[in-house]
Amino acid sequence: MENLLRPLIVVGGSVVLTVVIGWATDLLLRKADQRHPETPLWGLLRRGRIPYQLVLCAAFLRGAYDEAQVLERHETAVGRVLTLVLIGAAAWLVIRIAAAIVETSYSRYARNHHNAARVRRVRTQVTLIMRVVSAIVGVVAAAAMLLTFPAMRAAGASLLASAGILGIVAGVAAQSTLANMFAGLQIAFGDMVRIGDTVVVDGEWGTVEEITLTFLTVRTWDERRITMPVSYFTSKPFENWSRGGAEMTGIVFWHLDHSAPVELMRDKLRDILRSCPAWDGRAYNLSVTDTTPNTMQVRALVTAKDADDIWTVRVTVREEMLRWLADHHPYALPRVNTADAVLPPSRDGRGVLPEGRRPASDGYRATSDGKVTRRAHGTPRH
């Protein structure tokens, strides 16, 4: 009977203690979250309930296993399994606590600062810091798990002796990976590009959606995702439209007839922008920038608070101006001239003859009313 009750008491007591302590801790976190709604820390810490209970249960079982006197022939294996579970759960708990602290700090910073560029920069740095912390904790946990095996401890001396050679080999083999990792840290703390920035990469316009230690994802305007190594942004030029401020100036071109009413177009541009919510009201302009034998190029400059709004302003101005010209000034739209060419002036200096009149030449003479008649044979030329 004792052989049955002892393991039940040890295992059941460990589980009961784990449940009770976990419930009490979660209750305290919920009350703290209700008392301090201004900070999300206590609510975020509740995400670590599962690893916290695993740590408690593994610790209780590991400490009381000797008293249970069950599976004595496999005592070493069971103890090692419990130790591995304890190490893994502890690493998981540390990552959850670090994530809660980092997210709380970021939320507080974003709430107190209204500069969108600085908030995006901090968000990028926080994201990469969490990835670095997770990687370090994972490596330390894996090393601690391996050191629980006697064979690994025995091989430790030889591994340390050859660490220099292994480091060189690993560095050469993982050269591109290490380059991307250092490039990721450079991007995070060098403030080159941030999550949420509008960039143009290889002719593709999009928004930075994710930054890791090795790659960066850009979401294009048509919902495609472009994934590229972060080393690209440290070795090649790219456009960052959010750098130094999100305000932008857009350009709209029209190719119109030379008779287009430019002054009236300036007034119409002002009216269009005043009725466009995306225009930020900073500036606008309309000028003739170039001419060709058939058309002239008219350029409008408009402003907006960010890349999305500047696109809306540009398409609105282009569409409304073309509609207005077609309705009120159709002659201003470009057209192909299919009329007969204008004849050059006549030889007697009377100017261009009316259509259908032939200029005076050999065998013909022009009368005083502009008509051209055939000259009789032998009639002298005047």
Side-chain angles (χ1 to χ4, degrees), residues 106-124:
Y106 168 73
S107 300
R108 185 176 302 171
Y109 184 88
R111 189 167 54 249
N112 296 331
H113 293 77
H114 302 287
N115 190 327
R118 291 185 178 180
V119 172
R120 290 199 304 270
R121 180 184 63 187
V122 174
R123 180 184 175 188
T124 302

Side-chain angles (χ1 to χ4, degrees), residues 240-251:
N240 189 344
W241 291 4
S242 302
R243 179 77 176 182
E247 295 85 1
M248 296 194 66
T249 300
I251 301 175

Side-chain angles (χ1 to χ4, degrees), residues 63-279:
Y65 178 73
D66 294 337
E67 301 296 332
Q69 296 181 1
V70 62
L71 299 176
E72 295 180 355
R73 289 183 298 179
H74 303 283
E75 180 180 357
T76 303
V78 174
R80 186 168 298 149
V81 170
L82 292 175
T83 301
L84 294 177
V85 172
L86 178 60
I87 295 173
W92 188 6
L93 180 61
V94 169
I95 292 175
R96 286 295 178 89
I97 294 175
I101 295 174
V102 170
E103 289 185 26
T104 302
S105 302
Y106 168 73
S107 300
R108 185 176 302 171
Y109 184 88
R111 189 167 54 249
N112 296 331
H113 293 77
H114 302 287
N115 190 327
R118 291 185 178 180
V119 172
R120 290 199 304 270
R121 180 184 63 187
V122 174
R123 180 184 175 188
T124 302
Q125 294 174 354
V126 163
T127 302
L128 292 181
I129 287 174
M130 271 308 305
R131 294 183 184 276
V132 172
V133 170
S134 300
I136 293 176
V137 173
V139 170
V140 172
M145 289 180 179
L146 291 177
L147 290 177
T148 59
F149 297 92
M152 297 302 299
R153 290 197 298 267
S158 59
L159 289 176
L160 290 175
S162 59
I165 299 176
L166 290 177
I168 295 175
V169 173
V172 174
Q175 183 177 2
S176 60
T177 303
L178 293 175
N180 284 325
M181 290 181 64
F182 285 112
L185 294 175
Q186 184 178 353
I187 286 177
F189 297 99
D191 199 22
M192 299 174 58
V193 62
R194 298 154 297 200
I195 296 175
D197 282 2
T198 301
V199 297
V200 178
V201 182
D202 286 341
E204 295 285 351
W205 176 88
T207 304
V208 178
E209 188 175 54
E210 183 182 7
I211 299 177
T212 69
L213 288 176
T214 56
F215 67 89
L216 184 146
T217 302
V218 177
R219 177 173 54 85
T220 61
W221 64 272
D222 54 355
E223 302 298 332
R224 290 181 293 117
R225 266 68 176 178
I226 302 176
T227 301
M228 51 183 46
V230 293
S231 58
Y232 175 93
F233 293 87
T234 59
S235 59
K236 295 182 180 180
F238 65 95
E239 296 183 28
N240 189 344
W241 291 4
S242 302
R243 179 77 176 182
E247 295 85 1
M248 296 194 66
T249 300
I251 301 175
V252 181
F253 284 107
W254 297 278
H255 293 276
L256 305 175
D257 189 80
H258 293 142
S259 60
V262 178
E263 290 296 333
L264 295 179
M265 289 180 65
R266 290 191 179 98
D267 297 337
K268 183 60 180 178
L269 175 62
R270 180 194 59 210
D271 297 337
I272 293 173
L273 292 176
R274 286 178 176 176
S275 61
C276 181
W279 182 52

Side-chain angles (χ1 to χ4, degrees), residues 56-67:
L56 291 177
C57 187
F60 289 146
L61 290 175
R62 185 67 182 88
Y65 178 73
D66 294 337
E67 301 296 332

